[in-house]
Amino acid sequence: MDLALLDAVAALERRYPPGTAEDWDAVGLVVGEPDARVAEVLFAIDPVETVVDEAIERGVDLLVTHHPLYLRGVTSVAATGAKGRLVHRLIRAGIALYVAHTNADIAAGGVNDALAAALGLTGTRPLVPAPAPAHDLLVTYAPVASAEPVRRALAAAGAGAIGDYEGCAWSVTGAGEFTPKPGASPAVGQVGAHERLAETRLEMVVPTPARERVLAALRAAHPYEEPAFSFLPTRTPAGPTGSGRIGELSAPATLADFAQAVARALPATAHGVRVAGAPGSVVRTVAVSGGSGDAYLDAAAAAGADVYVTADLRHHRASEALAEPGAPALIDVAHWASEWPWLPVAAADLAADTGLVTGVSTRVTDPWTDRLASAGDTDGRTGATGV
């Protein structure tokens, strides 16, 4: 089975909407012709030379990476630089490149959910929930015979979309009353005569940014010269997306044992697993963040985590966080390893959604290739933690 690249991208973006990426991020299609055919897809963390080698060797049509090839604007993709050479190699091989980065981090079933699942957490929820999209409730009224055409027009403009459903509305029939004044051109009734007729009250949710578009659709579809309407601000509960995850272990464990479980669950790297905390402390509640997790140290503490698992923790931030009363223990793993569990999940999801053949890169692209023991550290451990 194959699909147009545009259709494969659409399937990815239903899982990882580009609009949820951070403002500074660079996600989406990097290389590829929208009408090109895609039959096989390879997932990897980094768009680096060894991964492109693998994609070419496997003969895939689309490479999906977590990390962007270009995170900042460029004026040239000449093959005089490493990244430009990758672009040229991909084009020559007919391989498209697509990036899902921070939008895949926060998504339900994304990077952080995959990391939490790999570590055996249950009852997981976002550590820092994403703000709910701003919505209004549109209330309007139309003659009974016109209510359905009006509803369809509003739905086409973006009203009534709730989760996987569209065109959602609530309606009830009642009586509408009005008196046209001189200068009016009423669609129903006469100037100076009070009119009473059966009307349908329609209620539909509207994304706040779509207000003007929906209002224009209402005015165009409504038979009245001046349709009555109101937009009522609403509050939507936070959904399953957000930064990091927090959950519970199925059974309590010591920090030492849990750290060993983390080491077993994630791919091996030269970085290994670093631990800060008392080895015998009890771990029940675990916070995680795939990739660089400095920003969520305070959130992990505020959420009552017993340990926080992430990558790229800096010396001063870790030291300051550990000094706070009730601070969670810290487990620092390789950036690449913390995000790797997402790859088989994403590959399986795309295969289920599209029928495409998908696979996961076997190349270790963590930049560190070796680790030497410090003086007196003969087994790769430090005496500070005993784990």
Side-chain angles (χ1 to χ4, degrees):
M1 177 178 180
D2 65 5
L3 293 175
L5 174 59
L6 198 62
D7 293 328
V9 166
L12 288 164
E13 293 186 347
R14 283 192 291 272
R15 295 270 182 181
Y16 318 112
T20 62
E22 297 284 353
D23 293 342
W24 51 263
D25 204 1
V27 301
L29 189 63
V30 181
V31 173
E33 297 182 14
D35 294 333
R37 305 307 294 181
V38 172
E40 187 168 351
V41 184
L42 180 66
F43 284 80
I45 295 297
D46 296 296
V48 293
E49 186 172 10
T50 185
V51 169
V52 173
D53 289 343
E54 182 180 14
I56 293 171
E57 290 165 9
R58 294 173 66 148
V60 304
D61 310 294
L62 172 60
L63 172 62
V64 178
T65 65
H66 183 50
H67 292 149
L69 178 62
Y70 290 105
L71 195 53
R72 297 174 180 84
V74 297
T75 57
S76 170
V77 292
T80 52
K83 293 188 176 184
R85 287 193 291 273
L86 290 183
V87 170
H88 283 258
R89 291 188 67 201
L90 289 167
I91 292 173
R92 284 197 300 270
I95 300 173
L97 172 63
Y98 184 88
V99 172
H101 191 209
T102 53
N103 51 327
D105 286 334
I106 74 166
V111 171
N112 284 308
D113 275 333
L115 176 58
L119 301 186
L121 304 189
T122 62
T124 52
R125 58 273 186 200
L127 180 60
V128 181
H135 280 80
D136 300 313
L137 180 66
L138 169 64
V139 180
T140 190
Y141 308 83
V144 171
S146 302
E148 179 56 19
V150 168
R151 186 200 65 80
R152 288 199 298 267
L154 295 175
I162 302 175
D164 293 331
Y165 297 84
E166 60 183 20
C168 303
W170 182 85
S171 62
V172 66
T173 301
E177 300 186 49
F178 51 87
T179 302
K181 296 168 61 177
S185 299
V188 177
Q190 298 178 349
V191 172
H194 191 71
E195 187 68 31
R196 192 173 193 273
L197 74 161
E199 289 186 336
T200 296
R201 172 181 169 131
L202 277 174
E203 297 185 7
M204 301 179 78
V205 294
V206 176
T208 300
R211 268 190 185 185
E212 294 304 317
R213 183 174 71 248
V214 170
L215 181 54
L218 173 63
R219 293 189 186 281
H222 205 289
Y224 289 176
E225 182 182 21
E226 291 290 346
F229 67 90
S230 58
F231 285 102
L232 309 176
T234 63
R235 295 186 64 182
T236 305
T241 66
S243 300
R245 293 293 185 269
I246 188 165
E248 286 69 44
L249 296 177
S250 57
T254 65
L255 177 61
D257 287 343
F258 179 67
Q260 292 289 348
V262 172
R264 290 192 297 270
L266 300 182
T269 62
H271 176 289
V273 175
R274 301 190 301 177
V275 185
S281 60
V282 177
V283 173
R284 296 182 179 86
T285 302
V286 180
V288 303
S289 179
S292 302
D294 270 4
Y296 308 116
L297 281 164
D298 293 342
D306 299 311
V307 63
Y308 177 40
V309 182
T310 189
D312 298 342
L313 287 176
R314 293 171 291 171
H315 174 92
H316 293 295
R317 284 290 289 124
S319 181
E320 291 164 1
L322 289 165
E324 294 296 326
L330 302 177
I331 294 181
D332 183 270
V333 302
H335 188 122
W336 173 84
S338 73
E339 295 172 331
W340 191 92
W342 171 67
L343 298 181
V345 174
D349 284 343
L350 184 63
D353 291 344
T354 63
L356 294 172
V357 175
T358 62
V360 173
S361 173
T362 60
R363 309 294 171 93
V364 176
T365 56
D366 186 72
W368 307 108
T369 57
D370 202 357
R371 173 180 177 271
L372 304 181
S374 302
D377 179 14
T378 57
D379 62 357
R381 299 180 180 180
T382 67
T385 63
V387 298

